[in-house]
Amino acid sequence: MPDAGPARATAREAIALLTGAAGFTEHRPPPSPLPPDGPLGWAGYDAARERASARTGEEESVLYGTGVVGDRACVLLSFEFGFLGGSLGRQTGDRLAAAYALALTRRLPLVALVATGGSRMQEGMVALTQLQRVAAASVRLRAAGLPQIAVVRDPTTGGGWATVGAGADVVLALPGAQVGFAGSRVRPPDADPYAYSAEGQFAAGQVDAVVPADELTATVTHWLRALGPHEDLPAAPVPRALSVGGAPVPRALSPGGAELAAGAGTEAGAGTGSGAGTGSGAGTPSAADSGPAAPLPETGREAVARARDPRRPRAEAYLADYFAVRLPLHGDRSGSTDPGLLCGFGLRGDGQPVAYVAQCGTPTRPAGYRAAARTIRLADRLGVPVLTLVDTPGAANDAEAERAGAGAAIADTFAAVAAARVSVTTLVIGEGGSGGALALAAPDNTHVTVDSYFSVIAPELAAAILKRPPSETGATADQLRLRPQDLVDLGFARSIVG
């Protein structure tokens, strides 16, 4: 187990960093004494515990209780690395299990401030099995729809990382922290140290964000607001369409093509109390903003060209217009990331939380689909509505994508959307390329912009399969009926936005 360095914050300092003047009420589990020198009778173990207690002022390597972060009540648990390297023994397990039980009883989110070297070797298998206790307690909290946030400090290794840390719904890390299953004394001597750092774990999709200490309170507060617990949240409103310059388009089109008022688009399931014209920054466009509706494409070729226009607003612009605060979820938790797919939770201008999955116009990779499925399932468990923005020419189809499990990842995304009990709202903002796009589309609650298309196959590929010359690609696009108005007529889309 690593030695405690003087620059490391104590367990109580880590809690105070989040709670500030709001304070912290410590709890303790019922007494459960260990036998002399612990369950193994390890010579000198009692003396080592006494020295650790005298040095740190703590009774064990974990303390827990209730507190307020920002304006949100929660259960906090914090590791004291100065107490035997923050290691997990039986009495540590008592405290961890009690912390999860306290969160469950009071229906509060759990925030874990982790700094540990792993299981306590002086307690042998008794110590190791505490990981099973923690896992079981975490599962009970998940089943109750209560969120878990981990802040991994320096160092977070071994079983503590593999349960309390990596097992949380959201994983935040302090810059420069050592983070990894293998601690510094047990990893291969030639191992790349970057792989065991907060930054390396972020690059590998195992950490959602690396957050400086002076930004931690605000970040955790936003996450607590977004994750809840919540009761009966409304569906995610349909985003308003954006013009080429990024400004809102104030009108929407009904299935029949007639202009609707700026707040329209709120058909059953499309949102409660707000519709396509609402956005967190500007709100509902006023009558003074109204203008003629954007024209619909006359041909399939035109629809495809408009969707592929590089000047068209992309996911970043839509998300920036939709949310006041965005909280990214990063990576697939399997060692990969896809920069072409954005996932996370956000808070709108009125404070409503919405989870989002947004394609950025590139072929979506298996890591992107896995991250999407992770986000949708988390939102579903916490009762948070989901918004998906569809914009991809299709799933990545290179050899590396196949080796990374493209088919299984797409299938899992289809399953996550199909199983969702919360409302999923979809807006197609560009290219809808076959199954790779459809995996993120909500059945019966998909809307399209005037600059979008959706097709079973790209018209160029369809023409090639049919052995047609390139000159017939436009006619093939018309046959595929991929324009926004075609999608409404076919019953795939509920409305045309903008």
Side-chain angles (χ1 to χ4, degrees):
M1 294 175 289
D3 297 325
R8 292 189 177 111
T10 67
R12 295 184 189 274
E13 288 170 344
I15 289 174
L17 177 65
L18 289 184
T19 61
F24 168 72
T25 302
E26 186 174 357
H27 290 240
R28 287 181 172 83
S32 179
L34 293 170
D37 278 332
L40 304 186
W42 189 287
Y45 180 46
D46 284 349
R49 287 179 55 87
E50 291 174 2
R51 290 193 299 271
S53 182
R55 183 170 58 249
T56 63
E58 303 297 347
E59 300 171 350
E60 247 302 339
S61 60
V62 163
L63 60 119
Y64 74 98
T66 55
V68 177
V69 179
D71 57 355
R72 296 286 161 162
C74 60
V75 169
L76 295 118
L77 69 85
S78 186
F79 282 73
E80 176 52 66
F81 189 77
F83 193 103
L84 300 180
S87 57
L88 281 75
R90 199 211 69 198
Q91 290 185 331
T92 321
D94 292 343
R95 290 171 173 241
L96 291 171
Y100 283 88
L102 180 63
L104 184 62
T105 300
R106 300 201 178 183
R107 289 204 56 78
L108 291 173
L110 184 137
V111 178
L113 308 172
V114 191
T116 174
S119 298
R120 191 171 297 169
M121 61 184 178
Q122 296 94 330
E123 294 190 26
M125 285 302 298
V126 172
L128 190 64
T129 56
Q130 302 311 305
L131 305 182
Q132 295 172 320
R133 292 181 71 189
V134 173
S138 176
V139 166
R140 288 191 288 271
L141 213 55
R142 286 173 179 265
L146 296 169
Q148 302 170 49
I149 300 171
V151 178
V152 293
R153 299 147 54 208
D154 182 45
T156 297
T157 61
W161 164 239
T163 52
V164 184
D169 298 317
V170 176
V171 182
L172 310 175
L174 292 177
Q178 180 188 166
V179 181
F181 185 65
S184 59
R185 298 185 184 180
V186 298
R187 68 183 64 140
D190 59 348
D192 178 9
Y194 181 72
Y196 305 86
S197 68
E199 292 76 10
Q201 295 286 3
F202 175 79
Q206 309 290 0
V207 164
D208 292 305
V210 178
V211 184
D214 59 357
E215 298 176 14
L216 192 60
T217 301
T219 301
V220 173
T221 300
H222 285 317
W223 271 113
L224 290 171
R225 290 172 180 166
L227 298 180
H230 303 292
E231 297 292 338
D232 301 323
L233 290 174
V238 181
R240 57 184 175 184
L242 301 179
S243 68
V244 169
V249 176
R251 301 268 185 192
L253 296 178
S254 71
E259 290 185 0
L260 299 178
T266 55
E267 302 164 84
T272 303
S274 53
T278 59
S280 63
T284 302
S286 67
D289 295 324
S290 298
L296 291 169
E298 295 184 1
T299 66
R301 182 191 291 275
E302 181 187 351
V304 172
R306 285 170 62 169
R308 294 175 180 174
D309 188 336
R311 299 169 298 171
R312 172 182 55 78
R314 306 287 165 147
E316 277 285 0
Y318 276 93
L319 294 174
D321 184 67
Y322 193 80
F323 289 113
V325 175
R326 278 168 54 197
L327 302 162
L329 290 173
H330 182 72
D332 65 354
R333 293 298 187 266
S334 296
S336 299
T337 63
D338 180 0
L341 188 127
L342 305 176
C343 294
F345 283 63
L347 297 169
R348 288 176 53 75
D350 60 1
Q352 180 186 350
V354 175
Y356 64 87
V357 176
Q359 292 171 315
C360 298
T362 58
T364 302
R365 305 201 65 79
Y369 291 111
R370 285 191 288 266
R374 171 198 169 205
T375 301
I376 293 165
R377 289 195 173 103
L378 175 59
D380 189 49
R381 177 158 53 81
L382 300 178
V384 177
V386 178
L387 169 71
T388 64
L389 300 179
V390 170
D391 184 12
T392 180
N397 58 6
D398 55 273
E400 182 56 36
E402 290 298 333
R403 284 191 290 266
I410 295 168
D412 195 41
T413 306
F414 270 116
V417 172
R421 296 159 296 179
V422 297
S423 172
V424 180
T425 302
T426 297
L427 180 64
V428 185
I429 62 172
E431 292 195 79
S434 195
L438 189 66
L440 291 176
D444 303 321
N445 198 18
T446 290
H447 306 260
V448 293
T449 67
V450 295
D451 293 326
S452 68
Y453 79 88
F454 219 117
S455 179
V456 65
I457 189 173
E460 297 89 349
L461 298 179
I465 291 172
L466 295 171
K467 299 182 179 180
R468 294 176 177 176
S471 60
E472 294 188 21
T473 299
T476 304
D478 290 336
Q479 281 185 291
L480 288 169
R481 297 196 63 192
L482 47 71
R483 301 174 303 167
Q485 59 268 45
D486 295 326
L487 300 174
V488 171
D489 290 342
L490 291 169
F492 171 75
R494 293 187 61 173
S495 72
I496 302 171
V497 180

